[in-house]
Amino acid sequence: MPTQSEIGKRRWGEFFTKCLTTRAEFSSFKEGAEELDKRSPLEGRSIIDLLLQSSHLKLDPRLTMYVEVLLKSGKVKIEDVLGCTFALVDTAANAQDTAMSNFDGARGIAFIRLLIDEVSENGSPKTRLAAMSIMKSLIPWLSMFQRSSETPSMLAEHLLDIGDTLGQFIATFFNSIIVQGILGGQPPKGIKASFARYLPSFTSLLSQSNVQLANTLDYLQKQAGLHGEVDVEQPLNDGVFEEVDMSTLSYQENVPDTPFITTRAGLYVYTNAMLTGRPLTDDAAIFDYLSARYNGDVATLVIDFITASFDTLQNYINRPEPERSITLLRSFLVNKLPTILNYYSAMMYEPLTVEACITQALERIGAAAFSSFTQTFGVLPEARQDFLFACALHQLIPEQSIERLLGDVPMQNLPECGRHAKANLVIQCAANPGKIQDLIGDLENMDGNVGEIVGALIEIIQTLCISKDSMTLKSICNTLSQKPQTLDVMMLFAQPITLLQPLCQLLDQWQAHEDQGEQHPVYDEFGSVFLLVLVMQHHFNLQEYDLGISDANSFVFRYLRESHASHELNAHENDLLGHWIMGLFLTEGINDELMSTCSPKDFHLLVTTLFEQSLRACQAGKLGLETLKGGFEYLLEPFLLPSLVSGLGWFTRRLWEIDRVAPGLDTLLPVLQALIKPPSISGESASLHATVLSIVSKPLQRSLAHVQKLHPRRADTEPLLSTLKRHVQPQCHVASSHTELEAWTSTPSGGIPTALRQSLQSLTQWSSTGSLDAPPPGYTHRLPLAAIRMLGAKAVLTALIDEIVEQQAAFINITTTASTTTSTALINTIDILLDITASLISAPSATDPASINPLAANYPKPQLSLRDALQADFNDAYRISKTDAPRAAIIVRLFRRVTAQTARSAQQENIVSDVDADQMLLDLNQAAAVGDGTAVGGGMGGGVGGRGEGAGQSAGGTDIDNVVAGVMEEIETQEFLAGSGSFMGM
C-alpha cells in the first residue's frame, strides 16, 4: 500500500504534468497548488524536484512562472530552489551532451534571477534561520566553481554565465539587512571558514567576465571578514553548521502563536493616525493595509472601516478637536470613504451588498450616538445623512434606502448636478476657465463629488504648468493660497508631490516671454505660484522630498536651504543686489529695466541679504530710517509681496539676537511695523499680505515676545503682537499643543509612558466589553508621536510591550483559580492588545517619511521609527528569551502581526488585477471558446472572499483529480492568451 508521501508525490507530479501540458495560467496554477497543498503537503525541495521532472521542455517559460508562484506563496523557499538548481547545473557541468548542458544552464540562470528579485524586491530572507539556510545552500555552489576553476575543461560557457548570475545573487543577498547583521556580528566558524575558502576563487573566476561584480564581491568579503588562513585539511561539507546553535536560529519561527484577530480599536487607531495632521490617505496604501488585515474578508472589512470612520468622528467631537479637524474628517467620511467602498463593491455579490454592510455598521455605532449630539449642533447625524446621500450618488445604495437607514425622512436630496466625472470637469474648465474658481469653492461641499473635483483641478494645474499658462495659474494659486482648509481637503485625494512637483518644475524653468515688455506681470505670476508652494510647505511642514525636488540647483531647493540667512554673493549676485538697493532707496523706484536684468528667482534668493545689508546701512547712518521704510514699502506691491516670507523670516532670526543692550532695536521695530501694519494697502495686496503673515506670524510672534520680555517698557511691541496673533492659522501637522504635553508629562507614576499605557488600556477595555454601541474612548495619535519625538522609538516600544507582558503575567497568575470564562477573556485581552499595538506601529506617520514617500529613503532618517525598534528587538529575541522568555515571545508575535499588516501582499496585487481586468479576460475567454461552442465559467469565481466555486476549487470535494480538472476547465481558452502572458517572453 503506498504511503501518504508517495501518494502526495504522485498527485503533485500529475498536477504539474497537466498544468505544463495544457499551459495553465499562473492564477489557475496557484489555485490548484493551494488546494493540493492542503490535501497533500510536501517539503519545498520535493515540490521543485517534481516540477522539474514533469517538464518535457528544457527551456519551458512556464517552469519559471510556476517557480515564481510557488516562491511568492511560501510553498518553496530560496534554499529549495538553490538546492534543486545546483543539482541541475552540477549535472550539466559533468554532462557529455553540450547542448543539454546549455539548456540546463539557461534554466538555472532563469531560476537564480527569480531569487535575485525575491531578495531585492520582497525583502527575503526574513529571519536569521532562513539566511543561514541560504548560506548553507550556497556553499556547494562555491565549491563546484572552485573545482571547475582547477579543471579548465569543466569551465563551459554556460557555467561562466550562471556564475555571473550567481554572483549577482550573492551580492544582493549579502546586502540584505538580516545577512548584514549575521556578517557584522560573529558568524559561525564553519560558515566563515567555508566562504573564506571558496569565495576568493569564485571572485577570481568572475573577474574574467565581470570585473565590476568581482570587485563588489571582493569588497563585501573583506567587509565581512571572510578571509584569512584556512585549514585546508578540515572537511567543510555538511559539517559547516555543526557549530551553529540551531535553537538560536529557529527561536523566532518556533514561538507558538494564536490566530490573528481584527479588533474595532485596532482599525480605530489606524484611522486616527491617517487623519492626524496632514491626511495620509493614499488609496494604494489603504487598500494594501485593509487587504492584508482582512485577508479577503471583504464584508467585515467594509463594515469595520465604516465603523472606524464614524468612531473617529465621534472621538473628534467628544475630545473636542478643532473645528477645522472635524470638518476635514467629515469630508473624509462623506467624500473619500464612498470612493473606497466603491472599489470593494466590485468584489461583493448577492446577498452580500454594500447596503447590508452599511446597515450593520450603523447598528454598531448605535442610535444613541446619532440622537445625543444636539449640544454639538448635530454634527454626527448630519455626517451620517451626508454619507448616505454620497453612497447613493456613487450607486452603492438605492436612494430610497436612505430613509430606512436614517429612521427618518431625510432633509436633503442628491446634488442637482449629479455625479461629477473628472474628464467632463476638465473639458468644461477648458471651455470656460472661470469655472475653475467655482470648482475650488465646491471643495468645501459634503456631497460625495469632491474626489472628482480634486482630480480635475490637479490635472488642470499640471496641464497649465506644461503649457506655461502662468496667467491662469496665478488666479488658481492665489485662491488656493488663501484657503488652507481647502488644501487639507485636496490632500485627502492626492499627495503633496502630485500638486507641487509640476509647480516647482515650472518655477525652475520660468522664463519671461520675449514679447512681454512689462515685467510686473512676470514677477506677479511667478510670485503667486511661488507663494502657493510656500503656503503648502509651511502648512503641512513639508520637506524637499514631499515637493518632489532633489536637484541641489533647483530654485525651490536652494531657497529652502539658503533663505534662512544671508550668504556670500558672487560677482553677478553682488551686481544685482546693488541695482535693487539703488532702485528701492536711491532712485524713483522699481522699473522694468531693473526687473528685466534680474529674474524673479534671482530676486527671491537675494531678499535675505538685501534686508540685512539695508538694515545695517541704516544703523551705520548711511541710509535714513524714513528712506529705508519708504523703500521697503515697494515690497508691499502684489508683484513683490511674496518676498516678505524670507524678509520677515530674517526679522524673526534677528530679533532673537537682541539682548538687554539693543541699539539696533529702534531701527528694527519701526521697519517691522511698516511691513506688518502698513498705513494703507490695496485690496489685492491686502489678501496676499494676510497670506504672507499666516506663514511667518507664529515664529515672529515668539521672537517679538522675547524682545518684549527683555524690554517690557517699549510700547511698540504689543501692537505688533496683536496684529500677528490675528493672522496665526493652525498648521496641518502632528505637533501637540502645550496643554496636551503638560497633561501627558504630568501623568502620575511615569509621565508620557504611563499616559501611553493608559491609552492602550482604555482601547483594550473598549474592544473587550462586547457592547456594540459603546462610545469610543478618547484617543489622539499625537500622543505616541509626541512620545517618539521626546523619548525615542525604543522607549515607546518598551512601554507598549510592558503593558502586554503585564497583562499576560496577570493571566498566568490567576489561571489556576480563575474560571474558564475569565481565562478566555484574558487570553482575548492579550490578542486584543497585540492587534491594537500592531495597528499603532503599522499606522502611517509623517514622522517616518519613508513609510509614506519612497523618495524620503534617499534622505537621512530623522529618527528611528517604531517599526525600526521592533525589528531590532525581533533580531535580538533569542538573547532576550534567555532572561525574559515571555517578553521575547510577545516581541515575536507582535513582529509577525506588524509584518503581516505592512507587507504589500501578492493577494492585493491579484485583487487589483481581478477588479480591473477580470471582465476583459472573461470576454477573451468567451471569444476563444466560440470555436468549439464552449463558454468559460471561471474568472473571479467567488471574488476575493473565495465565495462560490472558483476555477481552482474541487467540485467533488475529495479527489485531487477533481481539483486539477477544475483548473483544466479554463485551459483551452488559455491557448488564446498564450502569447500575451508576461512570462511568455522570457
Side-chain angles (χ1 to χ4, degrees), residues 585-602:
F585 308 118
L586 303 178
T587 63
E588 295 183 356
I590 307 302
N591 54 39
D592 285 334
E593 182 181 356
L594 170 59
M595 289 189 290
S596 64
T597 59
C598 179
S599 71
K601 292 181 287 186
D602 289 336

Side-chain angles (χ1 to χ4, degrees), residues 126 128 177-178 248 251-252 255 792-802 805 837 841 864-882 884-896:
K126 307 289 187 184
R128 286 175 60 89
I177 295 175
I178 294 290
T248 301
Y251 173 77
Q252 292 96 331
V255 171
K794 177 66 176 175
V796 173
L797 181 66
T798 298
L800 296 173
I801 294 175
D802 283 346
V805 171
T837 308
I841 296 172
L864 286 181
S865 67
L866 285 176
R867 295 185 201 178
D868 297 327
L870 181 60
Q871 176 73 66
D873 276 5
F874 176 77
N875 293 342
D876 209 24
Y878 178 70
R879 185 191 62 78
I880 296 172
S881 71
K882 293 181 177 180
D884 193 345
R887 186 180 199 84
I890 290 295
I891 290 170
V892 173
R893 294 170 64 189
L894 182 60
F895 181 82
R896 290 171 182 166

Side-chain angles (χ1 to χ4, degrees), residues 379-402:
V379 174
L380 204 63
E382 287 180 8
R384 176 182 60 171
Q385 180 170 267
D386 291 339
F387 167 70
L388 292 175
F389 273 98
C391 289
L393 182 72
H394 286 264
Q395 299 182 345
L396 297 170
I397 62 174
E399 185 179 0
Q400 56 267 28
S401 297
I402 296 177

Side-chain angles (χ1 to χ4, degrees), residues 331 334-336 338-339 386 389-391 393-394 415 419-420 445-452 493:
S331 187
V334 176
N335 292 308
K336 178 76 173 182
T339 65
D386 291 339
F389 273 98
C391 289
L393 182 72
H394 286 264
R419 184 178 174 183
H420 285 322
N445 292 347
M446 300 287 176
D447 59 3
N449 268 325
V450 171
E452 294 298 308
F493 301 91

Side-chain angles (χ1 to χ4, degrees), residues 354-373:
V354 174
E355 182 178 352
C357 294
I358 292 174
T359 302
Q360 290 190 48
L362 295 180
E363 288 173 352
R364 278 191 183 183
I365 299 162
F370 294 112
S371 61
S372 62
F373 277 79

Side-chain angles (χ1 to χ4, degrees), residues 44-64:
R45 178 65 184 266
S46 298
I47 291 176
I48 292 292
D49 282 335
L50 289 168
L51 177 59
L52 294 178
Q53 293 168 15
S54 302
S55 174
H56 300 296
L57 298 175
K58 290 296 180 182
L59 290 178
D60 190 345
R62 294 281 160 171
L63 274 178
T64 310

Side-chain angles (χ1 to χ4, degrees), residues 755-771:
L756 189 61
R757 292 182 62 177
Q758 289 175 354
S759 182
L760 195 58
Q761 291 164 9
S762 64
L763 290 166
T764 305
Q765 184 177 4
W766 178 54
S767 272
S768 58
T769 56
S771 176

